[in-house]
Amino acid sequence: MSKSIKYPIFILSAGWRSGSTMLQRLFVHSGKVLVWGESGGALNNMREAYEAYEQMLGDGGVKFSKGYGGFGKKQFDEFRKKKIDRSEMWMACMNPSENKIKAAFKSFFEEVYTKDACELSYEYWGIKDVLANIETAKWLKFLYPEAKFVFLIRNPMDCLLSIKRRNWMDKNSSIKALEFYTRHWKKLAKEFREADFGKVVHYEELINNKSVLNELSEYTGISELNFDFIKKSKVDWKAEHSKSLNLFEKFYIRKVLSSEAMLHGYQL
């Protein structure tokens, strides 16, 4: 990583309409951090790709998330030792070392995210995402042990109302959309709550309590986070309509989310 970049800051939100863009803009407003936007699931996909390499390199007696290891490391070690007739060797799962694969993934992040941040004179870079799960967060921490992780959570009833007012975003069926967004919130909120690293921030506390922002500043090392920005900043965002959640939608949300929501201080 370039010497001018200190460490990345990842803002991972429990789904859409949770305030992640506001938090992204708050960090950018500090003048210290270039926080990039959502990857559309690419972060999860890259983590899964890395895990696939791990499996192919692994011992055949070891069970990975999607199958047993392929002995790829052993095959390459034997390939390197043999001086002639390598084409006669078994090499079905042979791959470069895990260290090289890790370095290649880090190189991707450096090329895609770090260079522009450096050129624009930012001291930090980051990504905000609404799809990245805790396994992806752990993988990012594996790549960048010094990284900071902000897990953002908002009252799911407010999130789902806002999503509905955007016509359930890209989902065609409101019933299927309701199930998707509800269970997505539950999964990520639970994972983030149980994480043994990073900092959980609740949107409602962030926008109303300056001490919460001060704690976030202390955790991330960005002292320039401005509470007035939260109170005064406006963006050009409009709902498609002003419909409320109907009785069935509220019932479903409470049925699925009440237990998890209560652990975050939300009474649905």
Side-chain angles (χ1 to χ4, degrees):
M1 183 179 292
S2 170
K3 292 182 180 180
S4 63
I5 295 291
K6 296 182 178 179
Y7 46 79
I9 299 172
F10 298 104
I11 300 170
L12 306 184
S13 171
W16 294 260
R17 309 305 305 148
S18 296
S20 62
T21 303
M22 182 274 290
L23 197 52
Q24 174 192 22
R25 294 168 57 247
L26 173 66
F27 275 98
V28 172
H29 180 71
S30 73
K32 298 287 187 178
V33 194
L34 174 54
V35 180
W36 299 94
E38 296 161 25
S39 69
L43 294 180
N44 285 340
N45 292 338
M46 283 190 283
R47 185 258 305 165
E48 290 179 355
Y50 187 88
E51 290 175 350
Y53 279 114
E54 279 189 314
Q55 178 184 340
M56 290 299 98
L57 286 167
D59 190 291
V62 176
K63 180 73 163 62
F64 293 81
S65 61
K66 294 184 179 180
Y68 287 92
F71 285 117
K73 179 183 182 301
K74 180 179 180 182
Q75 290 169 19
F76 186 53
D77 288 343
E78 293 175 353
F79 188 88
R80 291 175 65 118
K81 293 176 183 177
K82 193 171 179 66
K83 301 302 182 183
I84 57 174
D85 296 330
R86 285 173 171 155
S87 63
E88 298 298 324
M89 300 179 65
W90 182 254
M91 59 183 79
C93 297
M94 184 174 70
N95 274 283
S97 71
E98 186 174 352
N99 287 338
K100 287 191 176 181
I101 293 171
K102 178 182 179 181
F105 274 90
K106 286 194 69 172
S107 179
F108 170 86
F109 282 99
E110 307 300 316
E111 183 67 32
V112 173
Y113 295 113
T114 305
K115 285 188 176 180
D116 283 343
C118 290
E119 291 176 4
L120 293 170
S121 300
Y122 288 95
E123 296 180 29
Y124 306 77
W125 66 271
I127 304 172
K128 76 103 167 178
D129 206 277
V130 298
L131 285 168
N133 56 33
I134 196 63
E135 293 305 317
T136 295
K138 291 177 181 178
W139 178 66
L140 291 169
K141 186 172 176 60
F142 165 69
L143 294 181
Y144 295 100
E146 73 281 15
K148 304 296 182 181
F149 292 83
V150 180
F151 300 123
L152 182 64
I153 299 171
R154 184 185 183 187
N155 187 317
M157 200 69 81
D158 294 331
C159 294
L160 287 155
L161 173 61
S162 185
I163 291 170
K164 179 178 180 178
R165 288 178 173 175
R166 289 299 298 269
N167 289 325
W168 297 107
M169 299 173 75
D170 61 342
K171 305 296 178 184
N172 295 323
S173 167
S174 62
I175 296 176
K176 291 183 178 180
L178 176 66
E179 180 178 2
F180 170 82
Y181 288 115
T182 300
R183 297 194 179 279
H184 183 68
W185 186 95
K186 182 179 182 179
K187 179 180 185 297
L188 294 189
K190 181 178 187 294
E191 290 178 348
F192 296 163
R193 175 176 56 82
E194 295 177 346
D196 59 359
F197 64 97
K199 182 173 181 60
V200 173
V201 175
H202 291 93
Y203 171 81
E204 296 79 7
E205 296 176 350
L206 178 66
I207 64 173
N208 291 307
N209 191 337
K210 189 174 182 179
S211 66
V212 174
L213 183 62
N214 291 339
E215 292 174 5
L216 184 60
S217 294
E218 183 177 356
Y219 168 69
T220 60
I222 310 299
S223 60
E224 293 82 2
L225 299 182
N226 191 327
F227 191 67
D228 288 338
F229 177 86
I230 296 176
K231 307 304 288 185
K232 298 178 180 179
S233 177
K234 303 291 183 182
V235 294
D236 185 19
W237 183 92
K238 295 180 181 179
E240 300 293 330
H241 55 75
S242 59
K243 293 179 182 178
S244 298
L245 294 167
N246 61 40
L247 291 176
F248 168 77
E249 290 164 344
K250 290 180 180 178
F251 171 80
Y252 181 84
I253 293 167
R254 292 188 179 109
K255 179 181 178 181
V256 176
L257 298 183
S258 285
S259 296
E260 182 61 34
M262 287 181 64
L263 293 172
H264 295 274
Y266 299 127
Q267 187 70 43
L268 303 184

